[in-house]
Amino acid sequence: YRSTGGTSWTVDDNWLRNDDYCIWAGITCHDSGEFKGLVKEINLPDNNMIGSVTPVIWALLEGLELFNVEKNDVTVTFDFVSSALNLETIVISETNTNTLSGIGGVAGSLKSLHVTNAKLSGNIPEELYTLTQLESIYLSHNDLSGTLSTSIGGLRRLQQLY
């Protein structure tokens, strides 16, 4: 909240004003099961966020399945992402994210990665090809160069590549 200009967010209902984070705007929690009461989704697109999303977020949210901060002026990094054991979808399109370094840490769970119109440049990092559960990758409208590695053949579940 603080590292992304929370007081200027378009919607920040209940953030830091209530101990029950499950009622904070953009947060959905698990209703049952092993992760009951833990954060399931962070869904804050186009919310006037600025700055850097602290990478510690991944280490604190083992039940997280969806992370969506698209269309915000933020940078997302993937240090500690291996702690987010159930992370299935990352949507960081139209952000200032400029690297996917560390993304391989979610190799066992990530199904969908959206990073269109961000600040990526250079070659697609090899660790992207370790995400064997990926069904869709959206990387268009970045400054990527080079050719796709033959390692992409290891992404057997991949259905969409943009």
Side-chain angles (χ1 to χ4, degrees), residues 44-55:
L44 295 166
D46 201 11
N47 200 36
N48 201 38
M49 299 169 75
I50 57 169
S52 296
V53 175
T54 178

Side-chain angles (χ1 to χ4, degrees), residues 29-157:
C29 291
H30 288 272
D31 292 331
S32 60
E34 124 182 58
F35 297 112
K36 183 178 182 178
L38 298 181
V39 174
K40 179 179 182 179
E41 298 180 358
I42 296 176
N43 199 7
L44 295 166
D46 201 11
N47 200 36
N48 201 38
M49 299 169 75
I50 57 169
S52 296
V53 175
T54 178
V56 173
I57 196 168
W58 308 119
L60 300 175
L61 300 173
E62 65 178 314
L64 188 65
E65 294 178 8
L66 167 73
F67 180 77
N68 180 359
V69 293
E70 73 176 326
K71 296 182 181 177
N72 282 292
D73 193 17
V74 294
T75 301
V76 177
T77 58
F78 297 99
D79 303 326
F80 311 112
V81 75
S82 61
S83 298
L85 302 174
N86 295 292
L87 189 57
E88 295 180 358
T89 304
I90 297 174
V91 185
I92 52 175
S93 296
E94 297 184 49
T95 66
N96 292 326
T97 301
N98 60 10
T99 181
L100 294 176
S101 180
I103 193 75
V106 289
S109 60
L110 195 64
K111 294 179 181 176
S112 186
L113 176 63
H114 302 251
V115 199
T116 58
N117 200 23
K119 306 290 185 203
L120 300 178
S121 62
N123 292 324
I124 295 173
E126 283 294 317
E127 66 185 299
L128 186 69
Y129 305 118
T130 67
L131 303 173
T132 58
Q133 301 302 310
L134 270 179
E135 297 170 1
S136 56
I137 306 171
Y138 301 90
L139 298 172
S140 64
H141 297 92
N142 281 289
D143 194 21
L144 295 169
S145 59
T147 58
L148 284 175
S149 168
T150 56
S151 300
I152 198 164
L155 302 180
R156 304 229 184 266
R157 295 178 183 223

